[in-house]
Amino acid sequence: MSKLKTIKEYPLIPASKPSEGAAGRTGLWRTFRPVVNLDKCIGCRLCWFYCPDNAITISGDGKVEINYDWCKGCLICFHECPVKAIDRVVEEFG
Ligand code: SF4
Ligand code: SF4
């Protein structure tokens, strides 16, 4: 029987951006903005794995970044982070 991959065995492929559809960039949908606290992050990649919009990237040195043009504020990352390294703040579009 083949062994299931762990999340860290999946390649960190660059996020593919959704095409600009009628709804435009999903970043404008947010009520809450997820904010990563890098001091708490343990690099588990769960946020990257579960983000439905490919809005999270992880750089070669393990730094988690959120692309706010495409993050729609669903907060799945906030709920999945096992060490509460992602905060949610009320969005204030400038
Ligand atoms: S809030 Fe949702 S869309 Fe935004 S980064 Fe987190 S999981 Fe992705
Ligand atoms: S889920 Fe939390 S601890 Fe894991 S990589 Fe994302 S921010 Fe870091």
Side-chain angles (χ1 to χ4, degrees):
M1 184 187 295
S2 62
K3 181 176 155 284
L4 293 175
K5 283 184 180 176
T6 64
I7 288 177
K8 289 200 172 179
E9 289 173 306
Y10 283 91
L12 283 171
I13 49 174
S16 57
K17 300 291 178 284
S19 58
E20 294 268 8
R25 295 197 169 198
T26 49
L28 293 174
W29 298 1
R30 281 192 308 276
T31 302
F32 290 97
R33 166 184 286 243
V35 177
V36 180
N37 181 338
L38 294 173
D39 291 334
K40 284 190 187 175
C41 174
I42 58 171
C44 70
R45 301 185 182 178
L46 277 172
C47 55
W48 164 81
F49 190 78
Y50 282 113
C51 176
D53 286 288
N54 283 337
I56 295 179
T57 53
I58 301 182
S59 59
D61 60 1
K63 186 177 168 201
V64 175
E65 287 188 70
I66 296 176
N67 182 328
Y68 292 112
D69 284 340
W70 298 106
C71 163
K72 65 187 174 192
C74 68
L75 297 181
I76 289 174
C77 55
F78 166 82
H79 289 289
E80 291 297 332
C81 179
V83 293
K84 305 294 176 209
I86 300 178
D87 295 324
R88 60 177 172 185
V89 298
V90 174
E91 183 60 80
E92 291 181 21
F93 291 109

